[in-house]
Amino acid sequence: MNVNYAKLDNVSGEITVTLEEKDYADKVSKQLKEIGKKHAEPGFRPGHVPAGLIAKKYGSAVKYDVVNKEVADAVFNYIKENKLQVLGQPVPEADNEFKIENADFTFKFKVGLAPEIDNHVNKDLHVPYYTINVTDEMINEQIEGLRQRFGRQVPGEETEHNAVIKGAITELNPDGTVKEGGIVVENGIIAPVYFKSEDQKKLFEAKHPGDVVVFNPAATCDANPTEMSSMLNIDKDKVEEHKGDFNFEIKEIIVLKPAELDQEFFDNAVGKDKAHNEEEFRAAIKELLELNLANDSNYRFTIDAKEAVEKAVGALELPEAILKDFLVRQNESLNNENVDAEFEKMRGQLTWDLIRDNIASKFEVKISEEDLMNEARGVVARQLMQYGPNALTDQIVDKYAQEVVKDQKNREMLAQNALTRKTFEVIKENVTLDNKEVSVEEFRQLFTPAQEEA
């Protein structure tokens, strides 16, 4: 067997595989013998079928499979051994002939090659890095939000914005009198904060136990059958008959009492024994805010760094014809008429992936098992965050992270994420950072142009 390679241009080449009968004959013969051992034919038991009959019946199919495998292995082994940076997959040339009766074969494959890249990741490249200032106002807002989150519901003397109100709901006639035989819900519950109508919300402002409010259930929810049936305790198909006004006699008001600034609250909000007084608690909140904002800063850096590197690299030459041919072969919905548009959609990501991989190679970025675990820990931690900091113990996070890493599809995703993260880390280490301190408002404005364009 001979395998030859010829470079066609900067981003494409041709691999030619020449296969002689001696290269595959023994493998064909071996497979036919295996078939003869296992297959029975009319008049013959397995293992006693004449070799000529087996060859006549199965020879062409076996030869076809063996030749195909030999050629495919030869192509991919050549690529691997010679470290060709191939994009997509080798594409068989249209004039390849595979006449099964031939003894010798020649096949040609075009391969798309990754372009040579100067990634310009060095100290001459400047990238902005924004540090967001944490203000006392931000700390106060965060603390108030946490007090609400960890607060408890208690009886109240007057309705508040987020109050839950309990009482009797009674249907009225158009003239405001109680409707005989109408709906009566003795233990009704409403939460005006969720009403869709502002006018209906206002009816319940500054009310007290014993007050009677005339309201319209249909207006509170745009006559949603599910919400009305729940509020009035009736079947959904009956709600059309009850779109008038109702009395709501307030029996009890439940309000949310914010958590006290005590040890229980400190432990729930920032973790056990992380703060023991208000000063330490504010410091812990500031640290959490800075950590979250640092993540935002790093995210913004990835946008600015990607833009700066791509601009420095410039347009990349790609083996477009080969890649489009590959796309058409791989996707039944693509053809010569629509593949151009599809290729343009993927060009940007393909270009960045090539640049990223080039940077990772230059700085010898390696992905370890610990990197995969760190990515998995991040995934798990984000999912558990809703349950509060006490749910984020190292033991719990590690337990679920190990399960995530076991799945092969997850591993591939985690590996790509880790490669991207570590590549941006080496970019950050090797370019010149133009540090800028900004407020939250100024930082948000950085995203405005992109949002308007989107």
Side-chain angles (χ1 to χ4, degrees):
M1 181 191 302
N2 289 319
V3 182
N4 295 307
Y5 172 76
K7 194 169 183 179
L8 301 179
D9 54 41
N10 291 335
V11 290
S12 63
E14 182 181 70
I15 297 176
T16 302
V17 180
T18 301
L19 201 65
E20 298 179 354
E21 187 174 20
K22 64 182 180 180
D23 297 318
Y24 62 85
D26 287 346
K27 293 180 180 178
V28 171
S29 177
K30 182 178 179 181
Q31 287 198 25
L32 289 174
K33 287 180 180 178
E34 290 299 316
I35 292 173
K37 293 178 181 178
K38 300 175 182 178
H39 282 68
E41 295 293 334
F44 300 96
R45 290 176 293 132
H48 294 78
V49 182
L53 181 57
I54 292 292
K56 182 178 180 180
K57 188 169 184 178
Y58 300 103
S60 294
V62 170
K63 180 180 176 181
Y64 182 88
D65 290 342
V66 169
V67 169
N68 262 325
K69 186 176 186 309
E70 289 295 301
V71 172
D73 288 349
V75 170
F76 287 103
N77 287 337
Y78 184 90
I79 291 171
K80 182 178 180 180
E81 291 168 4
N82 291 275
K83 299 180 179 179
L84 295 182
Q85 300 299 309
V86 173
L87 300 182
Q89 297 288 342
V91 176
E93 296 201 10
D95 58 355
N96 282 343
E97 288 187 352
F98 193 172
K99 294 182 178 179
I100 199 65
E101 64 272 15
N102 290 350
D104 301 334
F105 303 92
T106 298
F107 298 98
K108 295 182 178 181
F109 299 84
K110 285 185 177 178
V111 290
L113 305 176
E116 293 186 7
I117 299 173
D118 179 1
N119 57 59
H120 296 276
V121 175
N122 53 54
K123 291 299 179 179
D124 292 332
L125 187 66
H126 287 248
V127 181
Y129 187 85
Y130 299 93
T131 300
I132 307 167
N133 294 322
V134 176
T135 64
D136 286 339
E137 182 182 3
M138 293 165 62
I139 295 173
N140 292 338
E141 289 179 356
Q142 184 73 7
I143 289 175
E144 286 309 307
L146 289 168
R147 290 186 68 196
Q148 294 290 323
R149 177 181 174 186
F150 292 104
R152 54 193 178 88
Q153 291 184 321
V154 297
E157 294 301 319
E158 185 175 274
T159 56
E160 297 178 2
H161 167 70
N162 57 358
V164 174
I165 307 172
K166 299 180 179 181
I169 304 175
T170 307
E171 189 171 14
L172 303 177
N173 290 311
D175 63 1
T177 59
V178 174
K179 184 176 182 179
E180 186 177 352
I183 292 176
V184 177
V185 182
E186 290 291 346
N187 298 306
I189 301 177
I190 60 171
V193 68
Y194 297 113
F195 286 178
K196 293 182 174 63
S197 167
E198 291 299 321
D199 290 339
Q200 293 294 312
K201 286 181 184 179
K202 290 178 181 178
L203 294 174
F204 289 89
E205 290 179 356
K207 300 301 179 184
H208 307 84
D211 288 347
V212 177
V213 178
V214 177
F215 81 119
N216 187 289
T220 68
C221 60
D222 294 335
N224 181 280
T226 300
E227 293 187 38
M228 285 188 65
S229 67
S230 176
M231 184 187 299
L232 301 178
N233 197 22
I234 58 175
D235 293 335
K236 292 180 183 179
D237 57 2
K238 300 288 186 181
V239 298
E240 286 292 329
E241 304 170 16
H242 305 282
K243 290 190 174 181
D245 288 341
F246 284 68
N247 273 345
F248 194 105
E249 181 185 354
I250 299 176
K251 296 181 179 179
E252 186 179 4
I253 299 171
I254 304 297
V255 297
L256 180 66
K257 182 181 180 181
E260 298 291 338
L261 294 175
D262 56 22
Q263 191 62 49
E264 180 182 3
F265 172 61
F266 297 156
D267 289 346
N268 286 332
V270 297
K272 189 169 179 60
D273 293 329
K274 296 291 180 66
H276 302 90
N277 53 53
E278 188 172 349
E279 183 180 357
E280 291 181 0
F281 180 64
R282 290 182 67 84
I285 291 297
K286 183 178 182 181
E287 184 178 345
L288 287 174
L289 286 172
E290 288 175 338
L291 179 61
N292 289 332
L293 293 176
N295 290 334
D296 292 340
S297 295
N298 288 331
Y299 171 67
R300 181 68 215 186
F301 173 78
T302 65
I303 296 174
D304 293 327
K306 180 173 179 285
E307 181 180 335
V309 171
E310 286 182 330
K311 183 178 180 180
V313 171
L316 292 182
E317 182 182 4
L318 298 174
E320 294 189 19
I322 295 175
L323 289 173
K324 290 175 183 179
D325 192 349
F326 171 71
L327 286 174
V328 170
R329 291 172 182 269
Q330 294 295 311
N331 195 324
E332 294 181 356
S333 65
L334 295 180
N335 52 52
N336 292 331
E337 295 180 358
N338 60 16
V339 70
D340 289 348
E342 186 65 25
F343 181 77
E344 288 307 313
K345 291 180 184 178
M346 62 175 284
R347 181 192 290 273
Q349 187 60 52
L350 174 59
T351 297
W352 173 247
D353 287 345
L354 290 172
I355 296 172
R356 180 200 64 178
D357 292 349
N358 178 270
I359 296 170
S361 176
K362 174 182 177 180
F363 293 98
E364 299 182 345
V365 175
K366 306 295 183 184
I367 304 302
S368 66
E369 194 69 23
E370 185 60 21
D371 290 322
L372 298 184
M373 274 296 294
N374 285 335
E375 291 296 323
R377 289 184 183 108
V379 172
V380 172
R382 287 189 290 273
Q383 292 175 343
L384 294 179
M385 188 69 72
Q386 60 183 310
Y387 302 111
N390 289 333
L392 297 178
T393 66
D394 293 342
Q395 184 178 6
I396 292 174
V397 172
D398 280 355
K399 174 184 175 183
Y400 287 108
Q402 288 168 3
E403 294 300 316
V404 172
V405 169
K406 287 179 182 179
D407 185 275
Q408 186 58 39
K409 289 184 179 180
N410 288 340
R411 290 180 67 86
E412 294 172 5
M413 176 196 71
L414 296 171
Q416 285 299 309
N417 291 346
L419 179 63
T420 296
R421 175 179 56 79
K422 295 186 75 170
T423 299
F424 277 116
E425 287 174 359
V426 299
I427 293 175
K428 188 176 178 182
E429 292 170 1
N430 289 279
V431 300
T432 297
L433 298 181
D434 294 334
N435 292 295
K436 302 177 182 181
E437 291 190 1
V438 294
S439 67
V440 171
E441 292 73 19
E442 290 171 327
F443 184 78
R444 287 172 180 164
Q445 289 175 4
L446 296 173
F447 296 86
T448 302
Q451 290 172 346
E452 289 178 350
E453 183 179 340

